[in-house]
């Protein structure tokens, strides 16, 4: 099983997959199989080598990296190889990544291989001859762009490279659905860049000619034979260096933390007191990017993907909220955090609550957004109907299932209750945003429901009164769990703040000023001020006298997502001196000035 790792270079980050043991072998996986798949298979079929397979620039965990030609892309890969500490070593390239390998071998880069092996180059030449390119992959409102991408990848494996009318009778075994799904997620991380990468490499294939230092290999058997003569005298690979943050402290970067239960994927931003940001289920922590951007000026925000979700490992286990809380603590331990604050939403609010109850000595302050407080019979109904199996299918049928599940989550609450009375007012996000949310669900795969189910099994009512650390319980007006604030007010211990906020910052289509004001609420509470002084007073701060503080002059928020047709237009945080807030569509009163903020 290969291990993922991020390497940080000047422009950003690339992800690599490490497997095996012995001397170094750098692998460019091509454009129809995932780097992880290549690393796993090569560790089995090429024993005696340490494989480092790269998510190519523009794809997968390297989707943030790009250059406009194959030479520039090769420079990015070379810089990453140097940052990883790789010595000159053999480079194994598959199918359409051949032009990148040749550009690395030709020089002009900061790192060069000492030998280049081209595998499946004949297939790439066949695709070039018939000008095979994917159909346009821009996200579509109906999600069919995912089916288009699946068909492109599947046909590249199934069909004769030079003849699209016939299946190839020879070649590597055809990929299983889960293997093809892994590559789809790599390509779909940035569909426009995958399209561009395919076209750049296809156009450059005629320049791939036989020359000194380039060896063509027909299959893995021939590859093993060619590499056998190169292994002698090479030192074993060194451990990969720790991932470094990017130079801009406010920019989000990626990392992994090793815990006893598995490797946890992290999104990180900022410098300052640590804040663990715990996601809603069932996808990844990617929707929390507005929160990371907003709080990064004052905190080191760390957003893990739960084990079983997103890009984290998928241990086969029964999950409950207590287990997720211990996983979060293990992340803190792996990062060397003795004390930290917490922010959690939905499932994450319950994880933050449980972690605070179990380990109050480790937690400073906790923001609990929309903890699950719904009637037991409703929880039972959700547990029965909310979680259909999501399993990769040979024809890619699971892709439209995932897309429409995600889409219906914006249309109905709960999503499976498709009737007028269950309609939500939040609105469906644009196709690009819905694409990203769907990719988080697909990354969780067959495990997507485990952390989600745990939330509806959890006894929030029994645990909430056991809080002993300062806590803010809140929710935005568009949140389907906002009605739980009234009950949270009755359950929470004295001193707990319970207040609505102008926005749910990670929802698409929230007004930018409402997002900014909500971030200000979080920041105020986490600093030790009253969050209620920065939020509407639809529900009073619980069991505590009201104080009025002007917004801090040392907090610099970032604006969130652009306002959409259903956003909370008109909310504004009132700067000192106090003045009336503009009317908007949030029903309540402004916590700063007491002025009415009316519905409409």
């Amino acid at each position: 099983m290969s291990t993922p790792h991020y390497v940080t270079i000047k422009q950003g980050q690339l992800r690599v997959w490490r497997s095996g043991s012995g001397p170094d072998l750098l692998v460019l996986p091509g454009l129809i199989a995932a780097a992880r798949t290549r690393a796993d298979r090569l560790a089995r079929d090429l024993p005696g080598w340490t494989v480092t397979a790269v998510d190519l620039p523009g794809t997968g965990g390297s989707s943030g990296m790009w250059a406009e030609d194959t030479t520039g892309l090769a420079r990015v890969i070379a810089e990453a190889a140097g940052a990883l500490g790789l010595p000159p070593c053999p480079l194994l390239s598959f199918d359409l990544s051949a032009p990148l390998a040749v550009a690395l071998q030709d020089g002009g880069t900061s790192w060069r291989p000492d030998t280049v092996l081209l595998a499946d180059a004949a297939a790439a030449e066949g695709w070039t001859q018939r000008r095979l390119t994917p159909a346009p992959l821009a996200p579509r409102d109906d999600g069919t762009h995912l089916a288009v991408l699946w068909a492109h990848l599947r046909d590249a494996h199934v069909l004769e490279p030079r003849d699209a009318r016939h299946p190839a009778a020879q070649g590597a075994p055809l990929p299983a659905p889960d293997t093809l799904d892994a590559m789809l997620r790599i390509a779909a991380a940035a569909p426009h860049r995958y399209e561009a990468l395919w076209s750049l490499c296809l156009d450059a294939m005629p320049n791939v000619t036989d020359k000194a230092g380039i060896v063509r290999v027909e299959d893995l058997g021939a590859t093993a034979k060619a590499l056998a003569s190169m292994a002698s005298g090479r030192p074993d690979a060194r451990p990969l260096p720790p991932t470094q943050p990017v130079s801009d402290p406010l920019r989000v970067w990626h990392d992994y933390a090793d815990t006893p239960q598995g490797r946890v994927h992290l999104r990180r931003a900022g410098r300052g007191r640590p804040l663990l940001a715990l996601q809603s289920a069932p996808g990844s922590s990617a929707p929390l990017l507005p929160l990371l951007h907003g709080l990064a000026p004052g905190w080191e925000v760390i957003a893990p993907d739960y084990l079983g979700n997103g890009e984290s490992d998928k241990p086969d286990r029964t999950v409950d909220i207590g287990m997720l809380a211990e996983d979060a603590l293990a992340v803190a331990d792996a990062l060397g955090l003795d004390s930290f604050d917490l922010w959690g939403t939905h499932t994450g609010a319950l994880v933050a609550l449980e972690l605070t109850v179990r380990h109050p000595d480790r937690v400073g302050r906790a923001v609990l957004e929309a903890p699950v407080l719904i009637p037991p019979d409703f929880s039972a109904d959700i547990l029965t109907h909310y979680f259909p199996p999501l399993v990769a299918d040979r024809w890619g049928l699971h892709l439209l299932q995932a897309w429409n599940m995600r889409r219906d989550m914006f249309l109905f609450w709960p999503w499976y209750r498709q009737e007028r009375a269950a309609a939500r007012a939040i609105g469906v996000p644009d196709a690009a945003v819905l694409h990203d949310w769907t990719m988080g669900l697909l990354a969780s795969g067959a495990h997507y429901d485990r952390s989600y189910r745990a939330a509806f099994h959890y006894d929030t009512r029994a645990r909430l009164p056991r809080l002993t650390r300062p806590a803010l319980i809140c929710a935005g007006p568009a949140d389907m769990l906002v009605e739980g604030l009234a009950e949270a007010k009755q359950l929470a211990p004295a001193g707990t703040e319970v207040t609505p906020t102008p926005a749910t910052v990670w929802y698409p289509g929230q007004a930018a000023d409402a997002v900014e004001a909500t971030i200000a609420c979080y920041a105020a509470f986490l600093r030790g001020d009253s969050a209620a002084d920065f939020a509407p007073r639809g529900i009073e701060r619980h069991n505590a006298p009201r104080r009025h503080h002007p917004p801090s002059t040392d907090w610099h928020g970032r604006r969130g997502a652009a306002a959409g047709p259903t956003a909370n237009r008109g909310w504004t945080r009132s700067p000192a001196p106090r003045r009336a807030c503009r009317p908007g569509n949030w029903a309540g009163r402004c916590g700063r000035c007491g002025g009415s903020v009316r519905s409409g």
Side-chain angles (χ1 to χ4, degrees):
M1 192 74 171
S2 54
T3 300
H5 185 83
Y6 284 97
V7 55
T8 304
I9 60 176
K10 183 178 181 181
Q11 304 99 307
Q13 291 186 295
L14 281 83
R15 184 172 62 183
V16 301
W17 299 83
R18 173 64 71 92
S19 64
S21 60
D24 283 294
L25 173 66
L26 184 63
V27 174
L28 305 185
L31 274 72
I32 64 171
R36 179 178 189 171
T37 301
R38 297 290 193 197
D40 288 345
R41 183 174 182 188
L42 293 174
R44 182 183 69 244
D45 293 345
L46 299 177
W49 291 89
T50 296
V51 173
T52 303
V54 182
D55 282 0
L56 296 177
T59 73
S62 306
S63 61
M65 300 299 302
W66 189 244
E68 296 300 328
D69 54 37
T70 54
T71 300
L73 293 168
R75 290 195 185 102
V76 169
I77 296 169
E79 187 176 350
L84 290 170
L86 299 186
C89 67
L91 170 65
L92 174 59
S93 170
F94 288 85
D95 57 71
L96 279 178
S97 58
L100 305 178
V102 170
L104 283 163
Q105 198 264 353
D106 281 346
T109 59
S110 57
W111 179 92
R112 290 185 63 190
D114 55 25
T115 304
V116 171
L117 293 86
L118 302 182
D120 300 333
E125 289 165 343
W127 299 334
T128 302
Q129 179 181 347
R130 65 181 178 94
R131 299 302 302 171
L132 172 65
T133 57
L137 298 177
R140 305 175 191 178
D141 288 333
D142 59 6
T144 53
H145 63 288
L146 295 176
V148 168
L149 177 55
W150 183 272
H152 168 76
L153 293 170
R154 184 171 185 264
D155 284 354
H157 285 280
V158 170
L159 300 178
E160 282 284 0
R162 298 175 189 272
D163 181 1
R165 297 171 299 171
H166 293 91
Q170 297 180 341
L174 294 177
D178 59 341
T179 302
L180 200 57
D181 180 74
M183 181 58 210
L184 177 131
R185 289 185 282 107
I186 292 294
H192 64 292
R193 286 185 169 167
Y194 178 77
E195 270 191 86
L197 181 62
W198 184 284
S199 294
L200 285 174
C201 292
L202 195 79
D203 291 344
M205 275 302 298
N207 300 324
V208 176
T209 57
D210 294 333
K211 59 178 67 177
I214 295 180
V215 179
R216 290 181 176 240
V217 289
E218 296 298 324
D219 53 31
L220 284 179
T223 303
K225 184 176 180 180
L227 286 171
S229 62
M230 305 177 194
S232 179
R234 295 180 184 270
D236 286 348
R238 295 181 293 181
L240 295 177
T243 301
Q244 299 299 313
V246 295
S247 57
D248 180 357
L250 300 185
R251 182 178 172 186
V252 176
W253 58 288
H254 299 259
D255 198 3
Y256 285 95
D258 288 313
T259 74
Q261 296 297 321
R263 196 164 175 83
V264 178
H265 179 264
L266 309 174
R267 291 172 176 84
R268 308 178 66 170
R271 306 286 190 270
R273 177 170 170 78
L275 172 73
L276 293 184
L278 302 171
Q279 65 178 84
S280 173
S284 73
S285 62
L288 300 186
L289 290 178
L291 178 82
L292 272 72
H293 291 152
L295 291 179
W299 286 265
E300 180 187 4
V301 190
I302 302 160
D305 293 349
Y306 298 134
L307 286 167
N309 289 96
E311 298 298 326
S312 292
D313 283 352
K314 310 292 189 299
D316 190 9
R317 59 180 188 167
T318 301
V319 177
D320 58 35
I321 293 298
M323 181 178 294
L324 295 176
E326 294 300 329
D327 289 345
L329 185 68
V331 168
D333 290 342
L335 298 177
L337 308 181
D338 293 328
S339 177
F340 47 85
D341 295 326
L342 292 171
W343 183 98
T345 185
H346 293 201
T347 303
L350 307 185
V351 177
L353 168 61
E354 185 65 20
L355 178 52
T356 303
V357 169
R358 290 187 179 204
H359 304 282
D361 56 313
R362 302 288 296 276
V363 177
R365 304 175 75 82
V367 177
L368 311 179
E369 182 184 67
V372 179
L373 284 165
I374 61 176
D377 59 340
F378 191 11
S379 289
D381 188 68
I382 286 175
L383 288 167
T384 301
H385 299 105
Y386 206 94
F387 309 106
L390 181 62
V391 180
D393 170 86
R394 71 176 68 189
W395 297 295
L397 301 180
H398 66 294
L399 302 173
L400 291 184
Q401 177 194 348
W403 181 271
N404 285 294
M405 282 174 60
R406 267 308 199 187
R407 187 172 185 270
D408 284 358
M409 288 177 189
F410 290 98
L411 294 173
F412 306 102
W413 168 246
W415 70 267
Y416 58 84
R417 190 173 294 168
Q418 298 181 11
E419 55 192 55
R420 302 296 183 192
R424 299 185 68 187
I426 187 175
V428 177
D430 65 45
V433 173
L434 191 55
H435 173 89
D436 291 341
W437 282 56
T438 302
M439 297 316 298
L441 177 59
L442 289 170
S444 301
H447 290 245
Y448 85 94
D449 63 318
R450 300 188 185 189
S451 59
Y452 219 170
R453 287 181 183 275
F456 295 101
H457 281 295
Y458 185 70
D459 192 350
T460 309
R461 294 174 177 87
R463 302 300 276 174
L464 197 56
R466 299 185 62 179
L467 275 172
T468 59
R469 301 301 302 158
L472 166 66
I473 303 175
C474 58
D479 199 308
M480 66 276 203
L481 299 176
V482 66
E483 294 180 1
L485 290 187
E487 186 175 0
K489 177 179 177 180
Q490 302 302 317
L491 293 170
T496 302
E497 291 193 51
V498 182
T499 186
T501 51
T504 301
V505 300
W506 53 278
Y507 275 12
Q510 303 286 283
D513 50 359
V515 170
E516 184 177 2
T518 302
I519 294 292
C521 293
Y522 302 152
F525 170 77
L526 291 168
R527 285 194 308 266
D529 297 333
S530 172
D533 289 335
F534 295 83
R537 280 206 311 264
I539 297 176
E540 295 291 337
R541 181 185 179 200
H542 177 62
N543 200 30
R546 294 191 56 78
R547 295 174 295 156
H548 292 281
H549 297 280
S552 171
T553 57
D554 62 359
W555 181 81
H556 304 284
R558 293 187 178 182
R559 289 193 172 272
T566 61
N568 305 316
R569 292 186 296 271
W571 171 263
T572 180
R573 184 183 65 178
S574 302
R578 287 182 292 162
R579 57 181 174 81
C581 295
R582 298 195 306 265
N585 66 355
W586 167 251
R589 288 187 174 273
C590 170
R592 276 285 297 131
C593 67
S596 175
V597 186
R598 60 181 174 83
S599 178

